Amino acid sequence: MTLFRLMTRWFPLRVVGLALTLTMVLSACGSEPEWDLRDVSGLLPDLDYELERAADGATVTEDAYAGEVRVLFFGFTNCPDICPMTLQKFSQAVRSLEGGADEVRVLFVSVDPERDDREKLREYVSAFGDRFVGLRGPEPVLRDLAKRYRVTFGYGEPDEAGYYDVSHSSAAYIFDREGNIRLLARQDSSIGEIERDLQRLVGQ
């Protein structure tokens, strides 16, 4: 005999229905809604870096934009697809935020310091909006930072013209206002998913 039939045998159906409804409501109230992006809270280190800002050449750390929700993404300006597509997604998502666009900062870290000088990097990120910041540094510093967030990057063999490709991880890391790691956006994450989770973080 099922639990429902057993309950209705001893209690009026009206009482059983009320009890089940109350149980469902209390269960819903006690659980947090799931994130659209991957929740990596506590699985990766909090925000920590010391790099050169392309806009003015100043050395900045994680404290530069304290109090804002920050996105950390590694790439390079000659990237033909992943970088512009990812940055465009975040650009659209940030612009769609309801009153929270000024509270999100996207940090684009170049892993190609040989070609991405300050001017080139500054012009590149400015195309996506004023909430985007270009950061650069010497390769050893970049290697240490990439290792911190389990990012990989490498360089291909130069062709006759000296052009070489750069391979790199495509994930974007999202930190809350205190610099705590919270979410990971992957290449297949949609603009809507990014927007909803950014909006939720801004509101916390």
Side-chain angles (χ1 to χ4, degrees), residues 100-177:
D102 291 340
E103 300 180 67
V104 177
R105 190 79 58 168
V106 181
L107 309 173
F108 179 70
V109 179
S110 171
V111 295
D112 188 12
E114 184 70 24
R115 293 179 295 189
D116 288 346
D117 57 27
R118 279 183 50 205
E119 182 179 356
K120 187 174 184 180
L121 187 55
R122 181 178 65 248
E123 291 180 356
Y124 183 79
V125 296
S126 65
F128 298 98
D130 59 5
R131 306 308 296 171
F132 288 71
V133 178
L135 299 173
R136 61 189 303 275
E139 187 179 336
V141 172
L142 297 173
R143 292 286 181 191
D144 288 343
L145 182 61
K147 183 179 180 181
R148 179 177 175 83
Y149 297 106
R150 303 176 191 175
V151 170
T152 60
F153 65 90
Y155 308 110
E157 288 294 327
D159 59 20
E160 295 179 356
Y163 177 84
Y164 57 89
D165 197 11
V166 179
S167 60
H168 63 94
S169 304
S170 60
Y173 303 84
I174 303 176
F175 302 80
D176 62 21
R177 296 179 185 275

Side-chain angles (χ1 to χ4, degrees), residues 55-100:
D56 55 8
T59 298
V60 294
T61 69
E62 66 281 357
D63 295 328
Y65 305 103
E68 298 179 2
V69 172
R70 282 150 288 177
V71 180
L72 185 68
F73 180 64
F74 297 80
F76 65 113
T77 63
N78 285 315
C79 181
D81 40 37
I82 294 175
C83 296
M85 288 173 58
T86 300
L87 295 177
Q88 186 58 36
K89 281 184 183 180
F90 276 94
S91 179
Q92 291 182 244
V94 170
R95 288 201 305 267
S96 299
L97 295 177
E98 297 179 3

Side-chain angles (χ1 to χ4, degrees), residues 39-46 150 180-182:
D39 186 350
V40 292
S41 300
L43 300 180
L44 290 169
D46 295 333
R150 303 176 191 175
N180 302 313
I181 183 68
R182 299 296 299 276

